[in-house]
Each structure stands twice: as C-alpha cells, then as structure tokens.
Amino acid sequence: MAKKRQKASEGGANWQDTYGDMVTLLLCFFVLLYSISTVDQAKWIQVVKSFNPDAKEVSQIALDAESMSQDEVPGNVDDELDAFDSLYEKLKASVEEMGMTSEIELYKGDGYTFVTFRDTVFFDGDSSVIKPQGKEILDVFSTILGGAADSIKEIRVLGHTSQAHPDYPNDIESDRVLSAERAAKVTAHIQMNGVITADKMISEGYGQFRPIAPFDTRENRAKNRRVELLITKSDAVERSLEEYYEQMNR
C-alpha cells in the first residue's frame, strides 16, 4: 500500500512575522540614531563603556574630552547664558552687602541688566573726578562683570545731568561736557580693570536731555543727576534708550 504524501505544513504567515520584526528593529535603530545625533560627551562615553566595561580605552567615536577645545565642549552656550542670567543677582547682592540700595538701583529685563548710580556715588558737585568710594564700587562691579564677560555683548555707560534751575536750562557746553566726562571716567575705570574688552564698552553723555523726573523740586532734580550702565547679552535684540526706559517704568 502506497504511503500517503504528508501535506506540507501551512506556514504561509511566518514570513510576515519575520518581516514585521525586522521593520520594528529598523525603526528602533533609527530612533536610536536620532536620539544620539546631538550627544553629551560624558554620557556617550558612559554608554560606550557599558557595552565593554573591561576596555581600557573608549572607542575612537567617543572623543577624548581633554583634547577638545573649550569652544567645542557641549554646554558652553548654556554656561554663557547662565553667567549672564546670574549677573543681576550677583550685582544686587553686592549692592546690598555694601549698603548702597538707596544710591544704586538695578533692573533686569529681557536680555539686559540696567544699573542706575546717583551722581553722589561717584562725583562731588560739578566735578568729573571719581571719588575713592566710587572707585571701590566700580572695582567690585568690574569683578562681577568679568565673570560674565563672554556672554556680554556691550556695556553702555550713560552720563546725565539735571537742569539746575527749574525755569532756565544749563549752559549747553558745560552741561554736555560734564555728562560726557563723567561717563568717560567711569568707562575708563572699568576698562583699566581689564575684565571687559575695550570694543564692548561705550560712553555717552546726554546732558540734561534724558530726565527721569521733572526739574521742579530739588529732590526731582537730584534724581536726574546719574550715571547708568546698560549691560546687554550677546544675543540680545538692540533697542533704543527710550524703549529701555519704557520697559523699566511699566
């Protein structure tokens, strides 16, 4: 009696399972590639070592961090941003420590820090010679500014006077010269401390023509006599001085 031929096992769907597994693996592979497209140096080294814990050296793919220049180390941009963002807090803490909160005002805005010094902090009367106490304050500020130098785009030093009499404007020449000299002296002192490159520093004298208070009373006129520091971040959008004042007075 002839033997019956065994019917081939029906496994037609098995290739579909294999294909599906392969597609899934490929998807996982590409997700992995995407996830490490921007890789943290330290974490990547840990991943590489985890596959071969006995290896003495990491694969050539994981670059030696010590051989990388400072500009190539991941995270430097964030460090610069953190340095500028902490600038306001450090300046504020130094002002409080010196007990100068009534003479020095600070304001933090989007991409900038604004500092206002009453004229008595740095100068006597109609003088543009910085007082010893003023130099000490600038030295403290310079040290703090130096810690954020790489993230600073520009420091504008603004000198202002006030109309001496409520009804009569100042002499134009002496008014302009005094405000410009005061701004220049403050700028030069910070520059001589060597913490900020000279190309990032600008001094400007506005005379009595950018008041922040009326000229009607002695107290208001005193508010107008001031030196200001406008410190902008490296990637900040440039604004006019009026826009900065408007933001601070909101």
Side-chain angles (χ1 to χ4, degrees), residues 9-250:
S9 60
E10 297 180 359
N14 290 343
W15 71 271
Q16 295 178 348
D17 295 337
T18 303
Y19 179 76
D21 291 341
M22 181 184 69
V23 171
T24 302
L25 290 173
L26 284 174
L27 177 61
C28 293
F29 176 70
F30 285 118
V31 169
L32 176 62
L33 288 179
Y34 177 78
S35 67
I36 65 172
S37 59
T38 302
V39 62
D40 180 89
Q41 178 71 15
K43 292 181 179 178
W44 175 243
I45 292 175
Q46 292 178 359
V47 170
V48 174
K49 285 186 175 181
S50 68
F51 287 106
N52 191 1
D54 297 328
K56 294 182 179 180
E57 296 183 359
V58 178
S59 170
Q60 163 176 10
I61 299 175
L63 300 175
D64 186 354
E66 293 181 358
S67 67
M68 298 176 68
S69 68
Q70 190 64 23
D71 292 337
E72 295 174 323
V73 177
N76 278 354
V77 174
D78 290 338
D79 292 342
E80 290 182 5
L81 294 177
D82 291 342
F84 191 90
D85 291 339
S86 64
L87 180 63
Y88 169 83
E89 298 299 334
K90 291 180 179 178
L91 292 175
K92 181 180 178 182
S94 69
V95 171
E96 293 175 350
E97 184 176 349
M98 291 184 290
M100 302 289 291
T101 54
S102 61
E103 292 87 358
I104 304 174
E105 298 178 1
L106 294 101
Y107 179 88
K108 181 180 180 181
D110 182 17
Y112 69 94
T113 293
F114 204 97
V115 186
T116 299
F117 300 92
R118 300 302 174 205
D119 70 326
T120 54
V121 173
F122 296 138
F123 307 106
D124 287 322
D126 292 331
S127 172
S128 61
V129 177
I130 303 177
K131 297 189 293 187
Q133 181 193 29
K135 292 181 179 180
E136 293 176 2
I137 293 171
L138 286 176
D139 291 341
V140 173
F141 269 55
S142 295
T143 301
I144 297 173
L145 292 171
D150 292 338
S151 64
I152 292 176
K153 178 180 181 180
E154 186 178 83
I155 299 177
R156 293 171 62 185
V157 184
L158 318 175
H160 302 271
T161 60
S162 182
Q163 188 168 301
H165 191 283
D167 300 322
Y168 306 105
N170 299 335
D171 176 74
I172 295 175
E173 183 176 0
S174 61
D175 185 66
R176 289 285 188 179
V177 169
L178 180 61
S179 64
E181 285 185 348
R182 287 180 168 181
K185 290 291 183 67
V186 171
T187 304
H189 191 89
I190 296 174
Q191 184 179 333
M192 286 188 293
N193 281 328
V195 296
I196 300 289
T197 56
D199 59 302
K200 291 186 176 183
M201 301 200 65
I202 299 173
S203 63
E204 300 173 337
Y206 287 94
Q208 66 178 66
F209 303 107
R210 291 292 191 280
I212 57 175
F215 301 125
D216 54 351
T217 66
R218 183 184 298 242
E219 291 75 16
N220 280 337
R221 290 194 293 273
K223 293 177 183 178
N224 292 324
R225 301 185 185 99
R226 66 201 191 276
V227 173
E228 299 167 326
L229 298 185
L230 174 56
I231 310 162
T232 53
K233 190 164 65 173
S234 56
D235 59 349
V237 177
E238 291 189 12
R239 303 178 178 91
S240 67
L241 187 58
E242 285 72 19
E243 288 179 288
Y244 288 114
Y245 285 150
E246 183 180 349
Q247 288 188 12
M248 290 187 292
N249 292 326
R250 286 177 182 173

